[in-house]
């Protein structure tokens, strides 16, 4: 039972790291194209596919961040707990913000309708 779980965990880590790297590079590429990030060396790794880029400085920063997180938390249990807390807090924040936006839009819509009725004399 150990080896199948180990293989699945390694594959999940590979997929997660690739998603993190791809997302970081995509955001950085957009920031560079809009002039909102300092110039960095961008290496296009494929002549066939436009989005295949490698940015050495950012890759190094991601590596340092991973090492720092690993050294700071020391165990996978602590990393898992921190991940769960962050997911919970981001979900809570998302729901609070979207709920606030919904309430504000409903209130504004009602106030707009009431003021329109009062101005136009509609009962």
């Amino acid at each position: 039972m150990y080896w199948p779980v180990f293989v699945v965990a390694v594959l999940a880590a590979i997929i997660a790291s690739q998603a993190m790297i791809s997302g970081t590079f995509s955001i950085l590429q957009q920031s560079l194209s809009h002039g909102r990030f300092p110039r960095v060396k961008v290496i296009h790794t494929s002549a066939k596919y436009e989005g295949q880029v490698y940015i050495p400085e950012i890759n190094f920063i991601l590596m340092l961040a991973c090492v720092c997180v690993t050294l700071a938390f020391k165990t996978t249990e602590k990393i898992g707990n921190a991940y769960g807390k962050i997911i919970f807090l981001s979900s809570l924040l998302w729901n609070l913000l979207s709920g606030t936006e919904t309430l504000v839009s409903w209130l504004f819509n009602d106030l707009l309708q009431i003021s329109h009725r009062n101005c136009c004399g509609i009962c």
Side-chain angles (χ1 to χ4, degrees):
M1 190 65 180
Y2 173 79
W3 289 107
V5 172
F6 179 77
V7 169
V8 169
V10 168
L11 291 175
I14 291 170
I15 291 169
S17 67
Q18 287 301 311
M20 180 71 144
I21 291 168
S22 297
T24 302
F25 289 161
S26 294
I27 290 171
L28 196 63
Q29 189 69 21
Q30 289 295 317
S31 299
L32 286 169
S33 68
H34 292 295
R36 302 290 185 217
F37 197 83
R39 294 249 177 226
V40 291
K41 182 179 181 181
V42 178
I43 300 170
H44 295 275
T45 58
S46 174
K48 187 177 181 182
Y49 300 107
E50 183 179 334
Q52 300 291 324
V53 296
Y54 171 69
I55 306 169
E57 294 90 354
I58 301 304
N59 207 23
F60 185 74
I61 291 170
L62 285 173
M63 185 266 308
L64 286 179
C66 290
V67 169
C68 289
V69 165
T70 304
L71 291 175
F73 286 103
K74 296 180 181 154
T75 66
T76 55
E77 183 179 350
K78 289 181 181 178
I79 292 174
N81 290 339
Y83 178 75
K85 290 175 185 175
I86 291 300
I87 294 299
F88 170 76
L89 290 174
S90 65
S91 297
L92 179 67
L93 182 63
W94 176 263
N95 286 322
L96 287 174
L97 290 174
S98 62
T100 303
E101 188 272 333
T102 302
L103 288 174
V104 167
S105 66
W106 284 346
L107 178 64
F108 181 73
N109 191 21
D110 289 344
L111 288 175
L112 188 63
Q113 289 176 1
I114 290 170
S115 65
H116 181 70
R117 287 180 187 153
N118 288 339
C119 289
C120 299
I122 301 172
C123 296

